[in-house]
């Protein structure tokens, strides 16, 4: 581990599902204060990028480095323990567990003790609504409430980096704003964010840098403001409402 | 005996039998809840458990009904036999999972289930060979004491069976509800990929589920032996199918459902034998299995299968 190393780097990363070649030599780099947004059409490899960061997909070539260490072979549990936590696509709460138990699962790799209580307080402070609902089964919450729990669950792992797969998916426009506001707040508290988003407009407003993925290759990268002003991006992602099937 | 005393007597018998089915049904339900796998090897783990208990009790010098123990020695001998049986059966379940099922984990379709049938037959035939297909007299060190309550006879044996079964079921419930590992087990059952993303070692959780389910099957085997005073290579088949029915009836994957289903099936068996005919009990039980699958596949308390999203 080196203190001057980037928080997370992808260096010519390739991944396969069987014969299907998904990521084809992808490079990303981010610092510990960044909000990064990854844009791209359907099936371009965005979720695969998330899974490669979390270690449920292993690169077939290239290196994933976290704080200077190559983590290609590190287990998901090892990554969570070292500070990488996910907010999964479609939230993926444990529906028949209570909100509190879901938060406990977020802290699965952490020791139970004063730190757990402090993390819990922080989540409850950020989301008073989650505190109100802590005894309720997660599957009975509204989509917006579930997203709060999903983010809270990630925070329970004491992360340096949270990876979010389409955090605005399926939320009402008002709630999308709330979620992006929360992401900024968390980032100001010292957590780096790597976010996959279809909602390019809002995501680029809060991000520091962005990448555009197309069929497994990074075709554009740069400061978020630059990407937001790029005509090609405007046409592909900002021109019209992006509807996912 | 008066009519109502006969009825109550069959309730007492049914609850004892139901406790065996419930313990056995829990193993089906734990494994199904996590892997969506119907584990037919469970039948044979139960049967092997009965023989492990038999061997341990014989090692204490107990043969048939010749030696009767009282007080602390009785409790100690039964407790040691129970613990050894549960650990050995649990280990057998873990080995079955590790060496025959884990290699098939990512194979789609019924292959894994067929493998469990194969494992079940191997164990069945090994015990058949080792015992010459004979029914073996099961040691019964318990005093024949019994209590008469309003015309109903409750044997000391039955009270012990109830206490042990209730303790095991309460223990399993607490484990699943309260402990870190138990919660991880529920999380894996509900969404394995999300659980893995939280840092849960899914293989480890599957192993624990097999251990717990198989240990309970072993306990059920020992209780069966004590209750009926024999063990035989074939006991897994009938008890296993009835317990499987119990798991489906309660809602497969559902832990309280398996307990409820077990008791209901036990009662149906004894009451059906009393009021209709013993040979009809299985007809009724398997009609319930088919009826549940056709008309109420989620069972009495709801099926808790993994979410596939
Ligand atoms: N588990 C998997 N097995 C096989 N193919 C997969 C799997 N997951 C994703 N894919 C395929 O990989 C490609 C990229 O998928 P994904 O990373 O989910 O895209 P995105 O999130 O950008 O929409 C798609 O063609 C998808 O069908
Ligand atoms: Mg995706």
């Amino acid at each position: 581990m080196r203190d001057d190393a980037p928080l997370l780097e992808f260096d010519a990363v390739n991944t396969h599902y069987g014969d299907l070649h998904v990521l084809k030599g992808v490079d990303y780099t981010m610092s510990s204060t960044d909000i990064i947004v990854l844009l791209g059409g359907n099936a371009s490899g965005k979720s695969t990028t998330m899974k490669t960061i979390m270690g449920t997909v292993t690169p077939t070539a290239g290196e994933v480095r976290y704080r200077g260490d190559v983590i290609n072979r590190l287990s998901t549990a090892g990554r969570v323990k070292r500070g990488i936590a996910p907010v999964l696509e479609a939230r993926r709460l444990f529906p028949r567990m209570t909100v509190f138990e879901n938060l406990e699962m977020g802290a699965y790799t952490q020791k139970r003790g004063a730190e757990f209580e402090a993390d819990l307080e922080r989540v409850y402070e950020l989301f008073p609504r989650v505190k109100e609902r802590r005894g309720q089964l997660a599957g009975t919450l509204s989509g917006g409430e579930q997203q709060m729990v999903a983010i809270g669950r990630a925070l329970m792992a004491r992360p340096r980096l949270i990876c979010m797969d389409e955090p605005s998916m399926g939320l009402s426009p008002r709630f999308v704003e709330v979620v992006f506001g929360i992401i900024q707040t968390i980032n100001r508290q010292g957590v780096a964010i790597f976010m996959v988003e279809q909602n390019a407009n809002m995501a680029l407003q809060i991000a520091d840098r962005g990448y555009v993925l197309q069929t497994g290759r990074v075709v554009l990268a740069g400061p978020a403001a630059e990407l937001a002003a790029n005509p090609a991006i405007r046409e592909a992602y900002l021109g019209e409402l992006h509807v996912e099937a | 005996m008066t009519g109502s005393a006969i009825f109550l007597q069959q309730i007492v018998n049914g609850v004892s039998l139901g406790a065996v089915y419930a313990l056995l049904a829990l193993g089906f339900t734990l494994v199904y809840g996590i892997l969506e796998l119907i584990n037919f090897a469970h039948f044979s783990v139960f049967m092997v458990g009965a023989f492990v208990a038999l061997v341990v009790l014989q090692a204490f010098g107990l043969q048939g009904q010749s030696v009767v123990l009282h007080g602390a020695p009785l409790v100690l001998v039964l407790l040691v036999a129970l613990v050894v049986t549960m650990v050995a059966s649990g280990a057998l379940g873990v080995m079955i999972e590790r060496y025959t099922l884990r290699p098939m984990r990512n194979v789609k379709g019924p292959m894994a289930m067929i493998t469990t049938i194969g494992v079940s037959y191997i164990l069945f035939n090994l015990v058949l060979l080792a015992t010459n297909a004979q029914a073996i007299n099961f040691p019964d060190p318990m005093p024949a004491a019994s209590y008469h309550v309003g015309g109903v006879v409750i044997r000391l044996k039955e009270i012990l069976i109830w206490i042990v079964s209730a303790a095991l079921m309460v223990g399993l419930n607490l484990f699943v509800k309260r402990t870190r590992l138990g919660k991880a087990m529920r999380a894996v059952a509900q969404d394995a990929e999300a659980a893995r993303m939280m840092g849960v070692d899914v293989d480890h959780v599957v192993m624990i589920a097999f251990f717990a389910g198989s240990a309970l099957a072993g306990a059920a085997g020992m209780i069966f032996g004590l209750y009926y005073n024999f063990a035989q290579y074939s006991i897994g088949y009938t008890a296993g199918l009835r317990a499987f029915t119990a798991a489906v009836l309660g809602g497969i994957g559902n832990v309280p459902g398996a307990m409820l289903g077990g008791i209901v099936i036990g009662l149906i068996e004894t009451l059906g034998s009393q009021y209709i005919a013993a040979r009809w009990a299985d007809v009724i039980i398997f009609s319930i299995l088919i009826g549940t699958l056709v008309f109420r596949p989620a069972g009495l308390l709801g099926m808790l299968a993994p979410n596939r999203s």
Side-chain angles (χ1 to χ4, degrees):
Chain A
M1 180 174 28
R2 302 194 329 262
D3 282 337
D4 57 335
L7 181 68
L8 181 74
E9 292 167 280
F10 270 44
D11 186 353
V13 168
N14 287 264
T15 69
H16 288 78
Y17 294 111
D19 290 337
L20 182 68
H21 195 177
V22 178
L23 298 185
K24 298 163 184 157
V26 169
D27 299 319
Y28 310 116
T29 178
M30 70 183 292
S31 83
S32 59
T33 58
D34 273 344
I35 298 180
I36 298 293
V37 60
L38 179 63
L39 305 173
N42 276 328
S44 55
K46 306 184 300 297
S47 293
T48 301
T49 295
M50 278 271 315
K51 290 175 190 163
T52 310
I53 296 175
M54 292 312 305
T56 55
V57 166
T58 306
T60 42
E63 280 186 353
V64 178
R65 287 188 290 270
Y66 177 67
R67 305 176 76 201
D69 297 335
V70 176
I71 57 166
N72 286 29
R73 300 263 146 218
L74 185 62
S75 69
T76 301
R79 294 175 200 222
V80 177
K81 205 177 279 176
R82 290 179 59 178
I84 311 179
V87 173
L88 303 172
E89 189 169 6
R91 302 173 277 276
R92 301 285 286 271
L93 298 182
F94 303 111
R96 293 184 302 275
M97 295 174 88
T98 64
V99 165
F100 176 74
E101 286 172 332
N102 269 274
L103 296 176
E104 283 187 302
M105 287 311 298
Y108 189 75
T109 60
Q110 302 290 307
K111 284 208 176 55
R112 199 58 184 257
E115 290 192 339
F116 174 87
E117 300 300 332
D119 292 339
L120 195 61
E121 264 325 296
R122 171 180 172 205
V123 170
Y124 286 162
E125 214 166 281
L126 211 51
F127 305 108
R129 193 146 183 105
V130 169
K131 183 173 186 180
E132 272 169 40
R133 298 288 163 103
R134 62 183 178 252
Q136 197 171 324
L137 293 186
T140 64
L141 300 180
S142 73
E145 289 167 340
Q146 291 195 13
Q147 189 59 279
M148 291 179 183
V149 178
I151 295 173
R153 185 172 69 172
L155 285 170
M156 292 303 292
R158 306 213 130 207
R160 290 169 190 275
L161 168 63
I162 296 184
C163 302
M164 300 191 177
D165 198 346
E166 308 208 23
S168 75
M169 189 179 22
L171 300 183
S172 68
R174 193 187 63 81
F175 223 94
V176 172
E177 276 192 47
V178 173
V179 165
F180 280 105
I182 287 162
I183 292 172
Q184 284 183 292
T185 306
I186 293 170
N187 178 247
R188 274 189 231 107
Q189 293 177 355
V191 182
I193 308 285
F194 186 103
M195 164 172 53
V196 166
E197 254 304 335
Q198 299 265 1
N199 192 334
N201 204 353
M202 302 239 353
L204 285 171
Q205 280 177 36
I206 67 163
D208 297 295
R209 291 168 50 76
Y211 291 89
V212 179
L213 203 56
Q214 207 169 67
T215 57
R217 289 196 171 84
V218 173
V219 291
L220 264 176
E226 237 169 67
L227 289 183
N230 183 310
I233 298 277
R234 295 195 70 81
E235 191 176 334
Y237 300 105
L238 306 178
E240 53 179 84
L241 196 62
H242 201 99
V243 183
E244 192 173 17
Chain B
M1 262 189 162
T2 65
S4 69
I6 289 173
F7 177 77
L8 289 174
Q9 186 68 56
Q10 293 305 348
I11 299 262
V12 167
N13 298 347
V15 168
S16 305
L17 204 51
V20 173
Y21 297 152
L23 288 174
L24 200 44
L26 284 169
F28 285 117
T29 256
L30 283 177
V31 167
Y32 187 88
I34 289 177
L35 294 179
E36 270 187 282
L37 169 72
I38 296 172
N39 173 24
F40 288 103
H42 200 56
F43 287 37
S44 291
V45 172
F46 161 82
M47 179 269 295
V48 170
F51 277 97
V52 172
L54 183 141
V55 168
V56 174
L57 291 172
Q58 286 184 343
F60 277 109
L62 306 174
Q63 294 285 347
Q65 279 69 44
S66 58
V67 185
V68 175
L69 299 174
H70 297 270
L74 175 67
V75 172
L76 196 69
V77 164
L78 290 179
L79 214 54
V80 169
L82 183 68
V83 170
V84 173
T85 302
M86 290 182 71
V87 170
S89 310
L92 177 62
V94 167
M95 268 159 41
I96 291 170
E97 190 278 320
R98 177 68 189 81
Y99 295 108
T100 73
L101 297 173
R102 195 177 298 177
M104 328 258 311
R105 189 77 57 77
N106 296 317
V107 181
K108 291 233 180 317
M111 295 298 286
M113 187 187 79
I114 291 167
T115 304
T116 68
I117 295 176
V119 171
S120 207
Y121 268 99
I122 290 171
L123 293 171
F124 179 95
N125 282 298
L126 284 176
V127 175
L128 186 154
L129 285 174
T131 58
N132 264 327
Q134 298 298 309
I136 312 280
N137 202 346
F138 202 92
D140 184 3
M142 284 186 263
S146 56
Y147 306 89
H148 296 257
V149 187
V152 178
V153 184
I154 302 177
R155 288 175 292 167
L156 176 66
K157 198 189 236 186
E158 271 164 331
I159 295 173
L160 282 178
I161 287 173
W162 294 347
I163 292 173
V164 170
S165 309
L168 289 173
M169 288 188 234
V170 168
L172 180 77
N173 255 319
L174 288 178
F175 169 70
V176 169
K177 280 235 169 335
R178 301 277 171 80
T179 66
R180 177 170 178 272
L181 211 50
K183 287 174 191 172
M185 196 180 280
R186 278 153 64 210
V188 170
Q190 293 175 30
D191 190 334
E193 194 194 358
R196 180 175 286 123
M197 289 277 198
M198 303 295 114
V200 174
D201 180 343
V202 173
D203 282 342
H204 184 66
V205 165
V206 169
M207 191 185 93
I208 298 294
F210 268 85
F211 184 86
S214 304
L216 292 177
M222 173 168 161
I223 290 173
F224 180 99
L226 288 171
Y227 191 70
Y228 287 112
N229 293 323
F230 80 99
Q232 194 169 12
Y233 69 96
S234 57
I235 61 171
Y237 178 72
T238 32
L241 272 178
R242 288 172 188 165
F244 176 66
T245 303
V248 171
L249 178 64
I252 196 153
N254 186 322
V255 168
M259 300 181 199
L260 175 67
I263 301 295
V264 170
I265 294 295
L267 289 172
I268 288 172
E269 184 174 336
T270 56
L271 293 173
S273 304
Q274 176 70 43
Y275 294 107
I276 306 171
R279 64 180 186 280
W280 281 97
D282 271 342
V283 175
I284 299 169
I285 288 169
F286 298 123
S287 302
I288 288 173
L289 175 61
I290 293 165
T292 307
L293 290 172
V294 172
F295 297 110
R296 198 181 161 85
L300 295 175
L301 299 191
M303 177 157 55
L304 300 181
N307 302 310
R308 295 282 176 249
S309 47

